[in-house]
């Protein structure tokens, strides 16, 4: 049978990729917000700020989900 539990080396590989995943997610949402602000200006909605906060929350959610999944294994 296959061993479904990750080895200690695999856990470290998963945990090492978390900062890159967070950085890429936050950067993409920030970039999209800047693009929307430049192309669709609006006086009462700041797309950059709204999408940046959404990106941070999604990155945190993904990090918490991934760490919980690694801890269960």
């Amino acid at each position: 049978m296959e061993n479904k539990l990750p080895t200690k080396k695999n856990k470290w590989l998963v945990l090492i990729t978390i900062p890159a995943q967070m950085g890429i997610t936050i950067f993409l949402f920030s970039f999209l917000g800047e693009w929307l602000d430049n192309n669709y200006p609006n006086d009462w909605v700041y797309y950059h700020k709204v999408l940046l906060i959404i990106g941070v929350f999604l990155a945190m959610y993904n990090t918490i989900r991934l760490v919980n999944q690694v801890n269960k294994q």
Side-chain angles (χ1 to χ4, degrees):
M1 293 209 149
E2 280 186 36
N3 186 4
K4 300 260 181 175
L5 295 174
T7 62
K8 192 169 195 136
K9 184 177 180 182
N10 290 341
K11 284 185 180 181
W12 278 105
L13 288 175
V14 170
L15 295 176
I16 286 174
T17 61
I18 290 175
Q21 289 176 0
M22 287 184 73
I24 290 169
T25 302
I26 293 169
F27 172 76
L28 289 177
F29 274 86
S30 176
F31 184 77
L32 178 63
E34 279 289 325
W35 183 83
L36 286 172
D37 274 340
N38 290 334
N39 290 326
Y40 302 103
N42 199 338
D43 290 337
W44 53 275
V45 175
Y46 300 104
Y47 296 114
H48 180 251
K49 291 179 182 179
V50 171
L51 287 176
L52 183 61
I53 290 172
I54 291 171
V56 169
F57 281 121
L58 282 174
M60 291 294 292
Y61 170 76
N62 190 34
T63 301
I64 292 168
R65 184 186 57 81
L66 190 60
V67 170
N68 284 338
Q69 182 181 2
V70 168
N71 282 336
K72 284 182 183 178
Q73 296 174 352

